[in-house]
Amino acid sequence: MEESITFLHSSDWQLGMMRRFLGPDGQARWGQARLDAVARIGDVATSSGAAFVVVTGDVFEHNQVERQTILRACEALKRIPVPVVLLPGNHDALEPGSLWTSAQWQAHAPDHVTVLTDTTPLEIVPGVEIVGAPWRSRRPLSDPAAPGYADLQPAAPGVTRILLAHGQLTSLSGGMSDVPTIDQAALEAAVADGRVQYVGLGDRHSTTRVTERIWFAGTQEVTSPEEDAPGNVLEVTIRAGAIEVEPVRVGAWHMVDHRVELFDEESLQALENWFAELPEKERTYVRLAGDGSLPLPLHSRLDMIIDAQGEVFASVERWAKFWTVRPAPDAADLDALQLSGPARAAMEELRQALAAGDEGAGAALSLMHRLARDAG
Amino acid sequence: MRLHSLTLRNFRGVADRTVRLPALGTTVVVGDNEVGKSSLVEAFGLVFDLPDDSKSTRIRDIQPVGQDVGPEVTAELTLGGRELTYTKRWLKNRSTELTIVEPDGRRQSWTGREAHNEAERLFHQHVDPVLWQTLMVSQGQSLVLPTPADAEPLITAVTAESGTPVDGASMPLVTAVEHEYLRYWTRGGRATGDFARSEKAVVAAELTEAQALKAMEEVQQDIRRAERLALDLEDVSGRLTDHLGTVEDLRERKKATDEILLRRDAVRHRAETARARLENHTRTRVERERLLDEVDRFTKADAELTERRIDAETVARTAAETLHAAEAALAEVVELKDARRTDVQEAERRVSELMDRAELDRLLGQQSELVDVRARIAAAGTILDRIKVDDALVAALEDAHAAVVEARAALAAGVPEVSVRRLGAEPVELSGTGLDCPAGTVPAELGFDESAELLVSGELVLGVPGQVEVTVRAGGEAATLRSRVDEAVRREKDLLKKAGVKDVAAAREVLRKADTATAELHEARRTERSLTAGGDPGERIAVLTARLGVGADDEAEGEETSKQPAVEGVPGQMSLFEEFASPHDTLFEDFEPPASEPDDLSGAQRVLEEARDGLAEAERLLRDAEFAAAQARKAADEDRSEAQNARARSEIAAERLAAAIEALEAARSVLDDDAVAAAESAATAEVEAVLEELTAVQEQVDEAGADQVAGELADALAVAGRLHSERDTLRDALRTTEGRLEQSGRDGLATRRDLAEFESAAVRAEHESLRRRADAARRVFETLSRHRAEAQTKYSEPLQSRIEALGRSVYGPSFRVWLDDDLAVSERELDGARLPVEALSTGAQEQLAIITRLAISHLVSTGEGSVPVIFDDALGWSDKARLRDIGALLGRAGDHGQIIILTCMPDRYEYVPKATFIKLDG
């Protein structure tokens, strides 16, 4: 087999997904970005001379996505100039009521798109055979990849065989998965004895190399700050027993976790600088984890900073679970306001309540501080 | 500040006037309208406000009309310890002069604009404009209640006194806090504005979300259902296919076994026919055996019953005889009892007769005694009839006799008592009338030595014949006494005559006899009554006599005749006696024949007792006999009935026997006994043959399993039908579910759910943020309000207590006020009625305004910033009574500060004590 074959491997497009932290505007732009990334896969296919594109599961977020999502997905698929093979994953399983069997999909699916509905090998281009293990239910009872290669004999000479599967690897899921996982050892065995030459996996949103020939493509566009390598498509080239896998970035968005410790003006300034240095702010979601305590004026300023950055960025959120920045008024703060009489007494009462752990008093104190400063 | 004097020149209508004011105390400036009282106040304001070159209309207004002169004002006052003399003239010959004497005596002077500036500076340094405005009441403003919160000297005073700083400086913050609070909450504490809208939005979004979630949940359920249905359908279809193969196999087998079954049916039919025939013959034989047996049994029974019937009839006859004997004996005892009853009756009659006779004897004796008694009564009556004396008559007699004696005694005492004694021998003759001699009759002559004592009531002639005759005549009284004696004697005689006795003693004797006779009469009557108490014995005698059937005379004869029938009246007695005499000897031992019936009563009674005993004995015998007869009757009845039964049974048995024999004969005439047995054994042989054949066929059937095949086929078909319907049901259910899912996919339910969640989260986040801010705003608002309220209560206290102290001197101890945040009086309470000041009468408002100003003045009087209190034409609304009290207050207020009152009605202030009155003339 002298000739080489190049194809693209992508997965987890999750079309129709919603991210509530993005807000309406962010959601709309991000949703479009996911489709744009699909179109860019088409560009990569063209530029790399790929013969076809495989998508290993979770093309759609649900089987019951709205019509608009399906039609737009079909339009995006038309931007890919080579045959496309889609594998049903856990989100869009071939269960009853599946999108893939619906009239909407079948009426609009482009001709060059094939959905793997069983484990029958498909000769996508001469000399290349694709076998898939589509999900038939959201809750499979056994290794979801196994049906794909269980009955296979080693590939005929001159035939490159690609296995497409969807699911977590036992080694990567940490045993926490509540659905059966894919047996990595068995997969490696199938690769080793020549039954398959490449295993394309889906479900994991970060591009992940499992072995030389077993890869998770990862999602085409980031969906969560937890993902460490999203936004790629894999350019796979198989040539005479050798294989080359190259991640190519197609995503345009960023989702970032950032942890800060705030206790003085300097730390606040550092946060501001960090925000300033981030590129592509309008396509970036920041989730802030924070700890520490700030004097009232700084605390007010922090609120303003986050408020303002929220306008610049797609979204800036305090990560409620890890956000413990508290206002810490000191006597100097209060003296600076030159309050007297009842106002001073009221503020002092709030300050003591806050010191005693009353969270509500913190907010009240900040507000009063701001009002007193503005009124003064 | 203290105002000492004001001089006005060419000021409105005033050409030149100086008013001097005491630095302390109350001054009343009196003047008619238009004489320039108000100008004083105006001038003081202008001199500090406007420089001498001012072109203000206020200046032009004060220029006297039609005079081209410059108005001029000079004020002397103390300001911050300095003495100021400040003069200013506007418009014409403008000038300003200020002279200041420092507390240490240094003197300084300014002129022109410098003077104005310095005066203005000092004024503003030492006079708080708010306080000044508050305490200077110009004309027509006396009703306006002061709102002194921003008067610094007052605040200072209040702060000093209450120890609580007043947050005058914090007011913008208070406003800001309140504004912030009202962005989220109503004053009532309900959510409002964006916050309230957001709350509603959350509810709506969550509802939408819940609906979308539910729809999606239904989709999930449908998916699971469809999965399950698909599995079930596959399973059922597989089983159905398998089962249909089984059904085909069974059909083949059945076809093969049907021929054998047909044959078995034919043999079975023949066997049934033979068996029926055999049954018929057997029945005939059994019937014949039964007939024979019956004849035998009935013959035996007939014999037995005949025997039993004869026995019973014998018994019945015997019983009838026994009954007859018993009844005869009973009749005899009845007769005996009747005889005994007759004996008893006879004995009773005899006793009764004897008793009647005894009573008759007694009554006859009683009757003769009664005759005696009645004779005695008649005798005593005769005696009594003869006696005429009674107790009254005897008493009258005794009285009459006593009257005689009494009259004689009176005569003797009242008439001369002449004692005559013959001494000599010569007779002495006595004659005369009306002479009484107590010794007896008057002797006509006296014997020798005889003497007579005489009472002379008439005339006594005493003479010795011949020798002497003495005539003694009684006096006038004598005749009367005499007649009384005569009268008494006559009455006594009449009575004695009436009594028929000769004297009183005889009368008494007669009376005693009468008593004796009366006593005897009474005794005799009593005896009579006792004899006749039981009625007249005569009647009873007549009754008894009649009953005894004899006259009282022939009693003895009647007795004879009555005895005869008593003996002959018991005819059965003798025969009964004879019959029972022998066996019952002892019982009749004492029985005496009636011939010797005793005549005495006790004998008769004994006979009665004996007769009664006899009757009782006869009754006892009767009861026994009756019992015996009843027993015999009962036994006879039973035996007779038994005999009848026995006869009836015997007759029935005979009939049955006859019938059985007849039936047997009839049966035999059709088929004799041997023929019956032969027919049965022939039929038995036939049956056995057919059964053998049937067994053979059945063996073939069993071998082929033909009987089971049909059942198995039917079961298999039933199962197939069930599986079919099960598969169809599953297929329908699956199609329905898939159809629903297809629709859900078209509806994009998952997207809808995500959108709803998205929306809900956004709305919730926004609400959460608003809520945090709203909570913070409320927290600040409430905390600050609480502290302000506390402070307000504290710092309003000094002023409040001053106002109340002053007010109580006017209104009495129930007067109270409440101040608002600006220290203005907001409410007043009097006699328990609390009212907002706006609701008070005009007079009360005016008084309250004055009181409040005086209270403020009092509070600040000790400080540097004190100012005079000026009232221009106040108290126009108050009545006389209040004027007196307010006047007293105004007077007292002068003790602490400078009070200036401008008025055209001085009488309003006549009650102000210690006031200085200054009169302005026109």
Side-chain angles (χ1 to χ4, degrees):
Chain A
M1 197 172 78
E2 289 305 311
E3 279 186 42
S4 71
I5 177 79
T6 298
F7 63 92
L8 301 185
H9 173 201
S10 182
S11 78
D12 298 281
W13 290 357
Q14 311 281 156
L15 300 177
M17 181 186 254
M18 303 261 181
R19 280 306 185 216
R20 60 185 71 157
F21 50 74
L22 291 176
D25 164 64
Q27 169 67 34
R29 288 193 294 114
W30 179 72
Q32 184 56 46
R34 300 190 71 73
L35 287 169
D36 293 346
V38 170
R40 272 197 291 280
I41 290 172
D43 297 345
V44 174
T46 307
S47 62
S48 63
F52 58 91
V53 175
V54 296
V55 186
T56 49
D58 290 357
V59 175
F60 289 98
E61 174 72 358
H62 300 289
N63 271 324
Q64 284 78 23
V65 291
E66 63 183 338
R67 187 176 143 87
Q68 186 193 59
T69 306
I70 296 174
L71 298 191
R72 289 194 179 169
C74 289
E75 282 309 304
L77 281 167
K78 284 179 189 164
R79 304 271 297 273
I80 301 178
V82 295
V84 180
V85 177
L86 304 180
L87 178 78
N90 59 328
H91 279 258
D92 48 5
L94 269 173
E95 63 193 1
S98 166
L99 174 149
W100 305 117
T101 56
S102 73
Q104 296 189 81
W105 169 258
Q106 288 180 344
H108 297 97
D111 294 338
H112 68 292
V113 175
T114 308
V115 178
L116 295 179
T117 54
D118 53 31
T119 54
T120 313
L122 164 76
E123 190 176 32
I124 184 71
V125 293
V128 180
E129 204 174 82
I130 295 177
V131 284
W135 282 48
R136 305 194 158 276
S137 159
R138 218 167 284 215
R139 297 164 302 148
L141 303 171
S142 59
D143 181 345
Y149 59 87
D151 300 332
L152 284 183
Q153 298 301 312
V159 172
T160 303
R161 196 185 269 158
I162 299 164
L163 173 66
L164 305 184
H166 188 88
Q168 290 295 317
L169 283 181
T170 314
S171 52
L172 291 176
S173 74
M176 297 296 283
S177 176
D178 56 352
V179 290
T181 49
I182 295 171
D183 183 347
Q184 187 179 339
L187 270 190
E188 285 179 21
V191 170
D193 61 21
R195 275 178 287 168
V196 295
Q197 277 68 48
Y198 178 77
V199 179
L201 293 177
D203 199 31
R204 191 174 162 81
H205 286 200
S206 301
T207 303
T208 308
R209 176 188 188 275
V210 180
T211 69
E212 189 185 27
R213 287 173 184 270
I214 304 178
W215 285 74
F216 281 99
T219 183
Q220 89 285 17
E221 186 64 278
V222 64
T223 64
S224 157
E226 272 105 1
E227 294 159 5
D228 49 29
N232 298 314
V233 64
L234 295 180
E235 183 187 328
V236 183
T237 304
I238 300 173
R239 181 190 298 117
I243 186 159
E244 201 177 309
V245 181
E246 181 75 30
V248 179
R249 177 155 177 85
V250 290
W253 277 63
H254 309 276
M255 293 192 180
V256 190
D257 278 343
H258 185 58
R259 180 174 296 279
V260 287
E261 199 152 316
L262 300 170
F263 45 88
D264 58 7
E265 179 143 22
E266 209 173 313
S267 56
L268 206 57
Q269 187 59 49
L271 175 64
E272 265 186 303
N273 294 343
W274 180 82
F275 274 123
E277 283 163 15
L278 280 187
E280 299 175 329
K281 295 185 175 62
E282 76 285 358
R283 296 198 301 272
T284 303
Y285 161 66
V286 177
R287 186 162 68 175
L288 279 178
D291 191 14
S293 60
L294 288 171
L296 287 176
L298 291 183
H299 196 262
S300 300
R301 195 171 131 203
L302 173 66
D303 286 348
M304 283 191 300
I305 290 170
I306 293 176
D307 206 38
Q309 295 300 344
E311 302 294 335
V312 175
F313 282 77
S315 173
V316 177
E317 260 197 331
R318 292 178 187 81
W319 193 353
K321 204 156 54 157
F322 299 109
W323 185 261
T324 52
V325 181
R326 302 279 173 266
D330 49 27
D333 283 345
L334 302 188
D335 289 345
L337 290 172
Q338 292 188 320
L339 288 179
S340 64
R344 176 68 193 240
M347 211 150 189
E348 183 60 24
E349 181 191 309
L350 289 174
R351 196 182 67 77
Q352 284 174 7
L354 175 62
D358 182 343
E359 295 290 323
L365 197 58
S366 298
L367 173 65
M368 192 166 176
H369 188 267
R370 179 168 67 73
L371 292 174
R373 194 190 53 209
D374 294 352
Chain B
M1 180 178 77
R2 293 281 184 270
L3 204 53
H4 303 305
S5 80
L6 266 176
T7 303
L8 275 62
R9 286 192 192 90
N10 298 323
F11 196 102
R12 292 191 190 270
V14 180
D16 185 350
R17 167 172 301 142
T18 298
V19 176
R20 300 212 154 268
L21 299 160
L24 200 63
T26 307
T27 307
V28 181
V29 180
V30 184
D32 293 339
N33 289 324
E34 304 298 325
V35 299
K37 297 188 304 296
S38 301
S39 298
L40 291 174
V41 179
E42 190 180 17
F44 189 78
L46 287 178
V47 80
F48 280 100
D49 281 356
L50 298 178
D52 55 20
D53 57 353
S54 171
K55 301 282 187 298
S56 166
T57 52
R58 287 170 67 194
I59 297 300
R60 279 205 295 279
D61 284 351
I62 59 173
Q63 189 177 32
V65 181
Q67 295 180 42
D68 190 20
V69 290
E72 183 186 311
V73 174
T74 301
E76 287 178 28
L77 61 154
T78 306
L79 201 54
R82 300 177 182 85
E83 301 291 333
L84 275 72
T85 306
Y86 189 26
T87 305
K88 195 177 266 179
R89 189 163 60 239
W90 293 274
L91 298 176
K92 289 279 172 192
N93 305 321
R94 294 194 307 265
S95 71
T96 305
E97 287 169 28
L98 174 66
T99 306
I100 294 175
V101 181
E102 297 284 335
D104 54 11
R106 277 187 300 116
R107 176 182 292 262
Q108 266 183 298
S109 294
W110 288 266
T111 57
R113 188 71 189 201
E114 280 186 345
H116 174 83
N117 289 346
E118 179 63 12
E120 190 176 50
R121 187 185 68 78
L122 283 172
F123 188 81
H124 284 142
Q125 183 184 343
H126 294 292
V127 176
D128 180 80
V130 177
L131 187 66
W132 175 239
Q133 284 301 317
T134 300
L135 296 186
M136 188 178 73
V137 185
S138 47
Q139 228 168 358
Q141 293 193 329
S142 66
L143 295 184
V144 180
L145 277 162
T147 50
D150 293 332
E152 284 298 338
L154 177 63
I155 300 303
T156 310
V158 159
T159 304
E161 193 152 323
S162 68
T164 304
V166 175
D167 60 346
S170 308
M171 283 312 286
L173 173 61
V174 172
T175 312
V177 166
E178 187 176 68
H179 183 256
E180 183 73 9
Y181 174 80
L182 291 175
R183 274 177 67 188
Y184 305 104
W185 307 97
T186 63
R187 293 203 179 271
R190 278 179 297 106
T192 187
D194 286 345
F195 182 45
R197 274 192 290 283
S198 140
E199 219 164 55
K200 285 198 192 96
V202 166
V203 171
E206 284 182 345
L207 184 67
T208 311
E209 184 186 10
Q211 283 165 346
L213 271 175
K214 186 158 172 289
M216 204 47 211
E217 223 160 75
E218 280 162 10
V219 168
Q220 305 289 6
Q221 280 167 3
D222 271 349
I223 290 169
R224 281 198 284 280
R225 186 179 300 126
E227 283 174 351
R228 209 167 47 239
L229 285 171
L231 284 175
D232 290 353
L233 180 60
E234 197 180 327
D235 179 46
V236 170
S237 298
R239 281 194 286 144
L240 180 59
T241 311
D242 291 351
H243 192 71
L244 287 178
T246 316
V247 169
E248 270 321 295
D249 289 352
L250 283 171
R251 277 221 178 90
E252 286 303 312
R253 268 177 66 199
K254 184 161 181 303
K255 227 177 273 174
T257 54
D258 277 355
E259 186 268 332
I260 304 174
L261 288 178
L262 219 59
R263 210 143 43 79
R264 186 185 64 180
D265 286 349
V267 175
R268 202 179 265 163
H269 181 70
R270 275 198 289 127
E272 273 163 18
T273 313
R275 200 179 284 137
R277 206 179 295 131
L278 173 59
E279 272 169 16
N280 207 9
H281 286 300
T282 307
R283 206 162 41 241
T284 309
R285 192 223 347 125
V286 170
E287 175 65 15
R288 178 62 49 84
E289 281 170 1
R290 189 184 62 77
L291 285 173
L292 287 169
D293 178 58
E294 256 184 10
V295 168
D296 193 32
R297 260 191 309 121
F298 289 167
T299 308
K300 268 190 218 141
D302 184 44
E304 193 182 320
L305 287 171
T306 307
E307 193 180 331
R308 217 179 277 169
R309 168 188 168 185
I310 291 163
D311 289 353
E313 279 169 354
T314 313
V315 169
R317 251 194 319 279
T318 316
E321 281 161 15
T322 309
L323 174 61
H324 192 67
E327 277 174 347
L330 176 62
E332 277 174 15
V333 177
V334 168
E335 275 173 23
L336 171 64
K337 189 194 120 195
D338 288 347
R340 289 289 155 80
R341 188 180 293 130
T342 311
D343 289 351
V344 169
Q345 283 165 354
E346 178 58 25
E348 280 172 348
R349 192 194 55 75
R350 181 67 190 154
V351 166
S352 162
E353 190 183 285
L354 286 174
M355 283 171 74
D356 286 353
R357 209 174 282 278
E359 192 182 359
L360 187 58
D361 289 347
R362 186 178 57 80
L363 288 172
L364 289 173
Q366 209 172 330
Q367 200 174 35
S368 63
E369 197 181 337
L370 191 56
V371 170
D372 280 356
V373 169
R374 281 179 180 156
R376 275 198 287 142
I377 290 169
T382 312
I383 293 167
L384 286 173
D385 285 347
R386 273 198 298 269
I387 293 170
K388 289 181 183 80
V389 179
D390 58 10
D391 286 346
L393 193 55
V394 171
L397 266 176
E398 280 171 352
D399 285 349
H401 185 68
V404 171
V405 173
E406 192 185 339
R408 281 210 179 104
L411 185 64
V415 296
E417 191 178 0
V418 179
S419 290
V420 182
R421 189 173 177 120
R422 194 172 107 188
L423 299 167
E426 300 301 322
V428 174
E429 289 174 358
L430 295 169
S431 69
T433 58
L435 303 174
D436 285 290
C437 177
T441 42
V442 180
E445 234 174 46
L446 284 178
F448 180 69
D449 209 17
E450 268 185 348
S451 66
E453 310 234 336
L454 293 174
L455 292 172
V456 182
S457 55
E459 194 178 58
L460 175 62
V461 180
L462 193 73
V464 181
Q467 298 180 357
V468 76
E469 196 186 72
V470 177
T471 301
V472 178
R473 280 186 196 101
E477 279 286 320
T480 307
L481 293 171
R482 181 78 243 169
S483 75
R484 272 186 199 162
V485 170
D486 290 349
E487 176 62 21
V489 170
R490 192 188 47 79
R491 272 187 62 203
E492 186 182 25
K493 273 185 186 147
D494 284 351
L495 285 169
L496 286 174
K497 193 175 169 198
K498 191 179 169 193
V501 290
K502 64 174 181 5
D503 56 16
V504 172
R508 282 197 193 112
E509 180 57 29
V510 170
L511 187 58
R512 195 189 49 76
K513 272 186 196 155
D515 284 347
T516 310
T518 305
E520 198 174 342
L521 180 63
H522 284 173
E523 191 273 330
R525 286 227 172 95
R526 228 176 2 255
T527 308
E528 186 192 22
R529 269 200 303 280
S530 76
L531 286 173
T532 55
D536 189 354
E539 282 171 28
R540 183 75 183 139
I541 287 164
V543 169
L544 287 173
T545 309
R547 195 192 294 166
L548 288 170
V550 287
D553 304 332
D554 54 8
E555 197 174 321
E557 196 197 331
E559 210 168 314
E560 295 287 325
T561 51
S562 69
K563 278 170 192 169
Q564 275 316 105
V567 177
E568 288 165 5
V570 277
Q573 215 169 21
M574 287 314 291
S575 66
L576 181 69
F577 182 65
E578 276 161 4
E579 189 177 341
F580 287 96
S582 147
H584 299 291
D585 240 350
T586 50
L587 192 66
F588 297 96
E589 221 167 25
D590 299 333
F591 197 83
E592 284 174 56
S596 62
E597 180 178 282
D599 272 354
D600 59 315
L601 181 56
S602 60
Q605 278 170 338
R606 200 179 65 244
V607 169
L608 176 58
E609 285 305 308
E610 282 161 2
R612 277 183 181 149
D613 287 345
L615 178 57
E617 177 60 24
E619 279 170 349
R620 190 179 56 73
L621 286 174
L622 178 59
R623 279 197 299 276
D624 289 349
E626 273 170 352
F627 180 70
Q631 289 290 89
R633 196 177 297 124
K634 194 174 157 212
D637 283 351
E638 282 171 0
D639 291 346
R640 191 179 61 239
S641 141
E642 180 64 26
Q644 274 165 1
N645 281 346
R647 185 162 56 239
R649 277 201 293 272
S650 165
E651 279 164 9
I652 288 166
E655 279 165 23
R656 271 204 317 215
L657 176 59
I661 289 168
E662 195 182 334
L664 179 61
E665 287 310 315
R668 275 182 181 152
S669 74
V670 174
L671 199 63
D672 69 24
D673 295 354
D674 294 341
V676 169
E680 190 187 13
S681 54
T684 306
E686 189 188 347
V687 167
E688 280 168 1
V690 176
L691 281 181
E692 202 169 317
E693 195 180 343
L694 182 60
T695 309
V697 175
Q698 184 62 44
E699 274 168 15
Q700 288 178 335
V701 168
D702 290 347
E703 209 172 313
D707 283 335
Q708 287 76 34
V709 170
E712 281 170 19
L713 180 59
D715 290 350
L717 284 174
V719 170
R722 190 169 48 73
L723 285 172
H724 253 293
S725 93
E726 203 176 316
R727 186 195 60 185
D728 291 351
T729 310
L730 284 171
R731 199 156 47 195
D732 288 352
L734 181 59
R735 275 186 196 140
T736 311
T737 311
E738 281 174 342
R740 218 165 32 228
L741 283 171
E742 174 82 21
Q743 184 59 43
S744 307
R746 271 201 298 282
D747 293 347
L749 287 184
T751 306
R752 276 195 209 171
R753 177 200 59 193
D754 289 354
L755 268 175
E757 281 177 349
F758 186 86
E759 181 65 27
S760 172
V763 169
R764 230 182 345 251
E766 192 199 340
H767 177 67
E768 195 51 37
S769 144
L770 276 171
R771 196 182 56 75
R772 271 198 301 274
R773 279 188 270 162
D775 284 350
R778 181 162 65 183
R779 181 76 180 266
V780 171
F781 178 73
E782 286 174 354
T783 310
L784 183 59
S785 297
R786 186 159 35 74
H787 282 282
R788 288 193 72 229
E790 285 167 11
Q792 203 266 339
T793 309
K794 265 195 199 166
Y795 80 65
S796 69
E797 202 278 330
L799 181 57
Q800 185 185 6
S801 64
R802 288 269 188 326
I803 294 173
E804 288 181 350
L806 293 176
R808 279 169 193 162
S809 71
V810 176
Y811 296 103
S814 71
F815 176 84
R816 291 185 69 190
V817 290
W818 281 266
L819 306 187
D820 64 14
D821 286 359
D822 295 328
L823 293 178
V825 176
S826 60
E827 286 173 291
R828 186 206 73 177
E829 184 180 297
L830 200 57
D831 299 327
R834 184 166 168 174
L835 290 171
V837 286
E838 301 80 35
L840 298 176
S841 72
T842 318
Q845 285 191 32
E846 187 186 56
Q847 289 148 24
L848 194 56
I850 290 171
I851 288 168
T852 305
R853 286 195 172 87
L854 293 180
I856 293 167
S857 163
H858 188 207
L859 254 181
V860 303
S861 63
T862 52
E864 285 278 297
S866 73
V867 296
V869 187
I870 300 172
F871 294 106
D872 188 357
D873 233 11
L875 284 179
W877 302 94
S878 301
D879 57 50
K880 277 260 180 198
R882 292 295 178 220
L883 283 177
R884 181 190 296 269
D885 295 327
I886 296 284
L889 271 189
L890 288 169
R892 278 209 301 283
D895 295 345
H896 305 285
Q898 193 178 25
I899 313 287
I900 301 164
I901 300 167
L902 310 176
T903 184
C904 60
M905 310 280 281
D907 51 334
R908 285 183 189 164
Y909 304 96
E910 61 187 282
Y911 300 109
V912 181
K914 296 184 287 178
T916 306
F917 280 75
I918 296 171
K919 179 113 174 97
L920 299 187
D921 297 320

